[in-house]
Amino acid sequence: MRAALDTLFAVALVAAIAPLLVDLLPGPRLPQVVVLLAGGAVIGPQALGVGDPGSIDLLSNLGLGFLFLLTGYELDLRLFRERRGRLAIAGWLVSVVLAAGLIGVLKFVGEVQAVVPLSLALATTALGTLLPILRDHGLLDGPFGRNVVAAGAVGELFPVIAIAVFLGASTEFTALLSLTGLGVLGMLLSLLPRVVRGNRLGGIIAAGQHATSQTLLRWTMVLLLLLLVVATDAGLDAVLGAFMAGIVLRRWAPADAPALADKLDALGYGFFIPIFFISSGMTLDLRAIAAAPARVVVFVLLLLAVRGLPSMLVYRTELPRRERVQMTLVTATSLPLLVALATIGLRNGTVRSDNAAALVGAGAISVLLFPTIAVALARRPVPPA
């Protein structure tokens, strides 16, 4: 108990200091997730040693769940019926093929242990991290912004589904059956508001959502934990249950979305999600990174080549060359899913600790570097024709 409290205090202190550092540090504004990971590494066993990540494992897992619940909550499934959605899916499939080929070569020469988790990691995009950066610089408007949102949504949703199929259950067939069952459960849960709307139970929930009872928020926690438990018991990874919870929740409260979104942001980003990132930073293998920094550079280049460069091909008729270069940089930006995949890979023994650390390090560099270059390109004057 005392060890957990000591660790939680250190984590809370890092979480409170992180936004202050973001605003106080000179130079380009750092994404908070990078500061949280760095803070976790500082207080972790390989540095100051004031925190034990194992003592807050449950809270860290809830933070991971909240991260994907909020991602699912922000996702508009209708985009997959539009052209931008089809282009995003095509780009992701090209990325997966490239990733499997390149990681297969690295496995052949003995540099990696498993192809699937690292291939999925290289095919991810950090949409949740990118959105505030791009919004602050006016890059979400017009065709470029719409295509970025679609590519980012695919780069978050599809890897989560693939994680469930290939890294969760004991066999792919079992995983597909479990995935189908989870989808059916999600559809049934999404119909609940129609059942209670208009009757006394619905009135009680609506009346209490802004009072001390906070009924809608409490039922949101029930939904999240239910789907986490179901996904885990079905042999799927918990992140898929959290993602499904976010999609279902979006159908529960569309009329009151702004108020609920504010509460979820406060609970998730104010408490649970920072715990996940700081705890992940505490488990980073700093010695492995220091011993082989070239491995981090290789993963940065792989992210750019695998996830970014297909944009030059896929959007050749949709966007001008400069915006395709920006799309290359933006889609190659990834971190939260890299952290999640590294954590999953370490837990089930499919990713070596040196590769997990290098992968997270490469993700942090991508968040620091790629959006900054993309924004700088947007500020440059367009050369005359």
Side-chain angles (χ1 to χ4, degrees):
M1 179 68 176
R2 178 57 189 270
L5 284 175
D6 289 345
T7 301
L8 194 56
F9 171 74
V11 167
L13 186 60
V14 170
I17 291 174
L20 303 180
L21 286 178
V22 167
D23 288 327
L24 291 174
L25 289 175
R29 183 183 176 90
L30 289 174
Q32 267 198 59
V33 62
V34 175
V35 180
L36 293 173
L37 284 168
V42 169
I43 66 173
Q46 295 191 32
L48 296 180
V50 297
D52 173 20
S55 66
I56 55 169
D57 193 53
L58 176 60
L59 290 175
S60 177
N61 287 333
L62 283 175
L64 178 63
F66 251 98
L67 179 66
F68 284 96
L69 178 139
L70 290 173
T71 302
Y73 184 73
E74 293 172 357
L75 180 62
D76 185 356
L77 295 177
R78 292 175 296 182
L79 71 85
F80 295 116
R81 300 197 298 265
E82 302 173 1
R83 176 172 171 78
R84 59 182 175 133
R86 294 192 295 271
L87 289 173
I89 294 172
W92 187 80
L93 291 175
V94 173
S95 293
V96 169
V97 172
L98 282 174
L102 292 172
I103 296 299
V105 172
L106 292 177
K107 178 177 172 60
F108 179 77
V109 299
E111 290 297 324
V112 303
Q113 185 173 343
V115 173
V116 173
L118 292 179
S119 297
L120 292 177
L122 295 178
T124 62
T125 297
L127 180 62
T129 303
L130 283 166
L131 284 178
I133 300 172
L134 299 178
R135 186 180 293 115
D136 288 345
H137 293 90
L139 295 180
L140 289 181
D141 301 323
F144 175 76
R146 290 192 292 271
N147 280 295
V148 164
V149 171
V154 170
E156 286 195 323
L157 175 60
F158 281 35
V160 168
I161 295 174
I163 289 169
V165 174
F166 296 109
L167 300 180
S170 55
T171 67
E172 285 80 0
F173 179 72
T174 304
L176 287 172
L177 286 179
S178 301
L179 188 61
T180 302
L182 187 64
V184 171
L185 176 61
M187 286 190 294
L188 293 175
L189 288 172
S190 68
L191 297 176
L192 278 180
R194 298 183 184 181
V195 176
V196 301
R197 189 175 293 126
N199 59 30
R200 187 181 179 189
L201 182 58
I204 292 172
I205 293 174
Q209 61 182 314
H210 300 302
T212 55
S213 53
Q214 292 292 326
T215 48
L216 190 55
L217 187 59
R218 293 185 187 183
W219 278 104
T220 296
M221 293 301 301
V222 170
L223 173 67
L224 172 61
L225 292 171
L226 169 65
L227 289 176
L228 288 178
V229 169
V230 171
T232 303
D233 288 346
L236 302 172
D237 199 88
V239 296
L240 183 64
F243 206 101
M244 179 67 71
I247 294 174
V248 172
L249 185 61
R250 191 68 173 185
R251 299 178 64 86
W252 275 19
D256 197 47
L260 180 60
D262 289 343
K263 294 175 183 178
L264 292 175
D265 283 347
L267 190 57
Y269 291 111
F271 183 69
F272 286 108
I273 294 175
I275 292 177
F276 167 68
F277 282 118
I278 295 169
S279 177
S280 299
M282 294 166 69
T283 61
L284 276 179
D285 192 343
L286 300 179
R287 296 185 182 93
I289 294 177
R295 193 177 295 269
V296 178
V297 175
V298 168
F299 276 119
V300 171
L301 295 177
L302 284 173
L303 279 173
L304 188 60
V306 167
R307 188 66 185 118
L309 287 181
S311 297
M312 298 297 292
L313 173 66
V314 171
Y315 298 101
R316 65 188 184 280
T317 61
E318 299 292 313
L319 301 171
R321 184 171 60 182
R322 176 185 293 188
E323 291 187 350
R324 277 183 284 145
V325 173
Q326 289 176 282
M327 181 70 78
T328 295
L329 293 162
V330 168
T331 53
T333 302
S334 185
L335 185 56
L337 265 175
L338 295 188
V339 175
L341 275 162
T343 302
I344 293 167
L346 287 172
R347 189 167 60 226
N348 61 24
T350 57
V351 177
R352 293 183 346 202
S353 62
D354 56 349
N355 284 329
L359 192 63
V360 175
I365 291 174
S366 77
V367 170
L368 284 170
L369 190 61
F370 295 162
T372 301
I373 299 174
V375 169
L377 287 174
R379 291 172 177 169
R380 289 180 58 188
V382 179

